[in-house]
Amino acid sequence: MTAHGAGSAQFPHPVIADRLASLARRDRGLSIDSLLAEDPARVERFQMEAAGWRLDYSRHLLGDDSAASLVELAQTAGVLDDRAALFDGSPLNHTEQRAVLHTLLRATAAHAGLEQEFAAVKDCQARMAQWVGRVHDGGHRGHRGERINTIVNIGIGGSDLGPRMVVDALQAYRVQGIEVRFCANVDPDDLDSVLAGLDPHNTLFIICSKTLRTEETLYNAHRARQWTLDAGVPEDGLAQHFLAVSTNIEAARDFGIPEDNILPMWDWVGGRYSVWSAIGWSIAFAIGMTRFEELLAGAEAMDEHFRSADATGNMPLWLSLLEVWYVNFMGAQSHAVIPYQQHLVRLPAFLQQLSMESNGKSVNHRGEALGYATAPILWGDVGTNGQHSFHQLLHQGTVLCPTDFVLITGDAVGPEGKQRLLANGLSQMRALMVGRDEAASRASLEGRGMAIDRARELAPHLVIPGNRPSSTLSCKALTPHSLGALLALYEHKTFCSGRIWEINSFDQWGVELGKEMGAEILGALQGSGQRFDASTDALLDGASHE
Ligand code: F6P
């Protein structure tokens, strides 16, 4: 498998692709710093605003004519024409014959022809709000009458990453007296540490699973149920302590959760796009329903922008075009997202599922193996922490890794620490761009009093090549609204890249094989005697003897 894909399907739109390839060969030789120095108006041309966010993409190895050709690629691929399918219920997810309608979850009016689905969403939100209100005001209590003070969300993948990240990100908005915890891993250590110190009598679990067939979630849900029973909660008191969200209402009922405690999901919402649905119930418990609605409103504002902006000024499309530019024409395999905001520490993990589960594909819509690359490896961590670890590679390593810096600029009027944070973010972006040559490195060492010979010897190690591309996404404040818009921005970016690559961004067949094998290997660990390959067998033998 190469970075270009092992198959034979060629990158779509060969004429534009050839032109982009030749422009990329030229643009590799550009100096980003000089582009800005010689043409300060570039910053104006290479930026846009949407739903409270500003994207600055002036620090890229991208000439104006290359930018125009990328827009032409998007137009030829019909990406913006395809947007309609995200709003009209077409079966975009063709391998599963499903519509893709997460935008309906944050809509304030029904999309044409989807009045029934919209009514179901509104009904679900009303029930969600009732539950949140009853728990917050003490109307719903534990079976002995104690007030609920802890919510534990049990779910994994899309039923965990979004809610967990948002609850963390919006901790400044938390409702007093309610703690929200998350358990995802099948490793019992996860649930054990989540439950440590909790009292089952004032704990409310949400079993969160689109399918309610997910091994980890079922295993943890049964352990949580047993933990509750062991503490003396009777079977008929469990209804006070368990809620569920699923498309599989029957399985939730079989688990013993009454219908009243179950909120629906729909097969037209993908797991990684489900934070806006009742899968986000834990968010509403954490910050209240009004704030949850603000999150939805932020996403809807970005939907409106995506839906109406043309190609040159469309922010999600531009994030995608930059991705395609670097992955398909510059040979990048990696993309970093670095938020300069501690509460966004889980954003990269959320985006990993969004991007890599959506677009980590190697066949196109027609089932042909791709001869070109798709989603890069997305990773990241918060600034400033990363500066003391992986930024070394960003500055001096050999890997091309375009980076998104996410900045909350309005915070800089606050405490000095926030000014330091912003200064660090801006200086990292600038250092990546301008770098430092050998002469400047020597001068710096000599300026610190180092002997000339030693400075000459050491200087090459201090050289920072610079010219490393980055984008800035900035907004004034991290609020439910701005966070909602940011997540929708990346969702639509993912959609656009998937359309350009002609892949299905909404299925995830790749995760299934491991699950099937997992069941057989568990059987072997439990004595089935089944044998596999020499390596697996040796490890299994070792595990049973240790
Ligand atoms: O295994 C992958 C996956 O299907 C994800 O797409 C999904 O978000 C996660 O598992 C959890 O699925 P569920 O919500 O059905 O438990």
Side-chain angles (χ1 to χ4, degrees), residues 384 411-412 414-424:
T384 61
D411 284 356
E416 192 203 327
K418 289 290 190 184
Q419 288 163 14
R420 289 176 185 271
L421 181 70
L422 184 61
N424 270 277

PDB file of all heavy atoms in Angstrom, residues 384 411-412 414-424:
ATOM      1  N   THR A 384      -0.343  24.868  25.036  1.00  0.00           N
ATOM      2  CA  THR A 384       1.050  24.851  24.677  1.00  0.00           C
ATOM      3  C   THR A 384       1.712  23.488  24.873  1.00  0.00           C
ATOM      4  O   THR A 384       2.893  23.334  24.539  1.00  0.00           O
ATOM      5  CB  THR A 384       1.836  25.894  25.523  1.00  0.00           C
ATOM      6  OG1 THR A 384       1.707  25.544  26.921  1.00  0.00           O
ATOM      7  CG2 THR A 384       1.295  27.294  25.348  1.00  0.00           C
ATOM      8  N   ASP A 411     -10.181  35.717  24.435  1.00  0.00           N
ATOM      9  CA  ASP A 411      -9.708  35.390  25.779  1.00  0.00           C
ATOM     10  C   ASP A 411      -8.495  36.227  26.172  1.00  0.00           C
ATOM     11  O   ASP A 411      -8.194  36.365  27.352  1.00  0.00           O
ATOM     12  CB  ASP A 411      -9.326  33.902  25.861  1.00  0.00           C
ATOM     13  CG  ASP A 411     -10.550  33.011  25.944  1.00  0.00           C
ATOM     14  OD1 ASP A 411     -11.671  33.563  26.020  1.00  0.00           O
ATOM     15  OD2 ASP A 411     -10.396  31.778  25.918  1.00  0.00           O
ATOM     16  N   ALA A 412      -7.783  36.760  25.160  1.00  0.00           N
ATOM     17  CA  ALA A 412      -6.538  37.466  25.461  1.00  0.00           C
ATOM     18  C   ALA A 412      -6.763  38.770  26.212  1.00  0.00           C
ATOM     19  O   ALA A 412      -5.817  39.343  26.742  1.00  0.00           O
ATOM     20  CB  ALA A 412      -5.752  37.721  24.178  1.00  0.00           C
ATOM     21  N   GLY A 414      -8.400  38.711  28.836  1.00  0.00           N
ATOM     22  CA  GLY A 414      -8.585  38.193  30.191  1.00  0.00           C
ATOM     23  C   GLY A 414      -7.267  38.052  30.938  1.00  0.00           C
ATOM     24  O   GLY A 414      -6.367  38.881  30.803  1.00  0.00           O
ATOM     25  N   PRO A 415      -7.155  36.974  31.719  1.00  0.00           N
ATOM     26  CA  PRO A 415      -5.971  36.802  32.559  1.00  0.00           C
ATOM     27  C   PRO A 415      -4.679  36.712  31.738  1.00  0.00           C
ATOM     28  O   PRO A 415      -4.716  36.342  30.561  1.00  0.00           O
ATOM     29  CB  PRO A 415      -6.226  35.477  33.267  1.00  0.00           C
ATOM     30  CG  PRO A 415      -7.495  34.934  32.746  1.00  0.00           C
ATOM     31  CD  PRO A 415      -8.099  35.885  31.802  1.00  0.00           C
ATOM     32  N   GLU A 416      -3.571  37.046  32.385  1.00  0.00           N
ATOM     33  CA  GLU A 416      -2.297  37.059  31.668  1.00  0.00           C
ATOM     34  C   GLU A 416      -1.991  35.708  31.021  1.00  0.00           C
ATOM     35  O   GLU A 416      -1.421  35.627  29.943  1.00  0.00           O
ATOM     36  CB  GLU A 416      -1.178  37.452  32.633  1.00  0.00           C
ATOM     37  CG  GLU A 416       0.115  37.777  31.894  1.00  0.00           C
ATOM     38  CD  GLU A 416       1.346  37.629  32.775  1.00  0.00           C
ATOM     39  OE1 GLU A 416       1.249  37.894  33.976  1.00  0.00           O
ATOM     40  OE2 GLU A 416       2.395  37.250  32.220  1.00  0.00           O
ATOM     41  N   GLY A 417      -2.391  34.637  31.709  1.00  0.00           N
ATOM     42  CA  GLY A 417      -2.132  33.295  31.168  1.00  0.00           C
ATOM     43  C   GLY A 417      -2.755  33.119  29.793  1.00  0.00           C
ATOM     44  O   GLY A 417      -2.203  32.450  28.913  1.00  0.00           O
ATOM     45  N   LYS A 418      -3.912  33.734  29.581  1.00  0.00           N
ATOM     46  CA  LYS A 418      -4.571  33.629  28.277  1.00  0.00           C
ATOM     47  C   LYS A 418      -3.791  34.423  27.225  1.00  0.00           C
ATOM     48  O   LYS A 418      -3.736  34.028  26.063  1.00  0.00           O
ATOM     49  CB  LYS A 418      -6.012  34.143  28.365  1.00  0.00           C
ATOM     50  CG  LYS A 418      -6.936  33.232  29.152  1.00  0.00           C
ATOM     51  CD  LYS A 418      -7.205  31.926  28.393  1.00  0.00           C
ATOM     52  CE  LYS A 418      -8.303  31.109  29.028  1.00  0.00           C
ATOM     53  NZ  LYS A 418      -8.507  29.817  28.353  1.00  0.00           N
ATOM     54  N   GLN A 419      -3.190  35.538  27.652  1.00  0.00           N
ATOM     55  CA  GLN A 419      -2.350  36.292  26.707  1.00  0.00           C
ATOM     56  C   GLN A 419      -1.127  35.464  26.333  1.00  0.00           C
ATOM     57  O   GLN A 419      -0.716  35.405  25.179  1.00  0.00           O
ATOM     58  CB  GLN A 419      -1.910  37.619  27.322  1.00  0.00           C
ATOM     59  CG  GLN A 419      -3.046  38.609  27.413  1.00  0.00           C
ATOM     60  CD  GLN A 419      -2.757  39.749  28.374  1.00  0.00           C
ATOM     61  OE1 GLN A 419      -1.621  39.959  28.790  1.00  0.00           O
ATOM     62  NE2 GLN A 419      -3.794  40.470  28.737  1.00  0.00           N
ATOM     63  N   ARG A 420      -0.570  34.796  27.353  1.00  0.00           N
ATOM     64  CA  ARG A 420       0.589  33.943  27.082  1.00  0.00           C
ATOM     65  C   ARG A 420       0.200  32.829  26.102  1.00  0.00           C
ATOM     66  O   ARG A 420       0.945  32.479  25.202  1.00  0.00           O
ATOM     67  CB  ARG A 420       1.109  33.309  28.378  1.00  0.00           C
ATOM     68  CG  ARG A 420       1.788  34.291  29.302  1.00  0.00           C
ATOM     69  CD  ARG A 420       2.183  33.607  30.616  1.00  0.00           C
ATOM     70  NE  ARG A 420       2.725  34.578  31.532  1.00  0.00           N
ATOM     71  CZ  ARG A 420       4.030  34.902  31.587  1.00  0.00           C
ATOM     72  NH1 ARG A 420       4.899  34.270  30.813  1.00  0.00           N
ATOM     73  NH2 ARG A 420       4.454  35.809  32.430  1.00  0.00           N
ATOM     74  N   LEU A 421      -0.986  32.271  26.318  1.00  0.00           N
ATOM     75  CA  LEU A 421      -1.467  31.179  25.462  1.00  0.00           C
ATOM     76  C   LEU A 421      -1.553  31.640  24.008  1.00  0.00           C
ATOM     77  O   LEU A 421      -1.044  30.987  23.094  1.00  0.00           O
ATOM     78  CB  LEU A 421      -2.845  30.731  25.963  1.00  0.00           C
ATOM     79  CG  LEU A 421      -3.514  29.586  25.226  1.00  0.00           C
ATOM     80  CD1 LEU A 421      -2.791  28.274  25.494  1.00  0.00           C
ATOM     81  CD2 LEU A 421      -4.983  29.444  25.666  1.00  0.00           C
ATOM     82  N   LEU A 422      -2.186  32.797  23.806  1.00  0.00           N
ATOM     83  CA  LEU A 422      -2.355  33.299  22.444  1.00  0.00           C
ATOM     84  C   LEU A 422      -0.992  33.645  21.827  1.00  0.00           C
ATOM     85  O   LEU A 422      -0.731  33.336  20.657  1.00  0.00           O
ATOM     86  CB  LEU A 422      -3.276  34.522  22.443  1.00  0.00           C
ATOM     87  CG  LEU A 422      -3.600  35.089  21.060  1.00  0.00           C
ATOM     88  CD1 LEU A 422      -4.323  34.056  20.194  1.00  0.00           C
ATOM     89  CD2 LEU A 422      -4.464  36.351  21.172  1.00  0.00           C
ATOM     90  N   ALA A 423      -0.131  34.257  22.650  1.00  0.00           N
ATOM     91  CA  ALA A 423       1.198  34.613  22.147  1.00  0.00           C
ATOM     92  C   ALA A 423       1.940  33.354  21.703  1.00  0.00           C
ATOM     93  O   ALA A 423       2.612  33.335  20.664  1.00  0.00           O
ATOM     94  CB  ALA A 423       1.993  35.335  23.230  1.00  0.00           C
ATOM     95  N   ASN A 424       1.784  32.284  22.463  1.00  0.00           N
ATOM     96  CA  ASN A 424       2.434  31.030  22.089  1.00  0.00           C
ATOM     97  C   ASN A 424       1.886  30.493  20.778  1.00  0.00           C
ATOM     98  O   ASN A 424       2.634  30.060  19.911  1.00  0.00           O
ATOM     99  CB  ASN A 424       2.245  29.990  23.200  1.00  0.00           C
ATOM    100  CG  ASN A 424       3.356  30.044  24.226  1.00  0.00           C
ATOM    101  OD1 ASN A 424       4.422  29.474  24.025  1.00  0.00           O
ATOM    102  ND2 ASN A 424       3.122  30.764  25.313  1.00  0.00           N
TER     103      ASN A 424
END
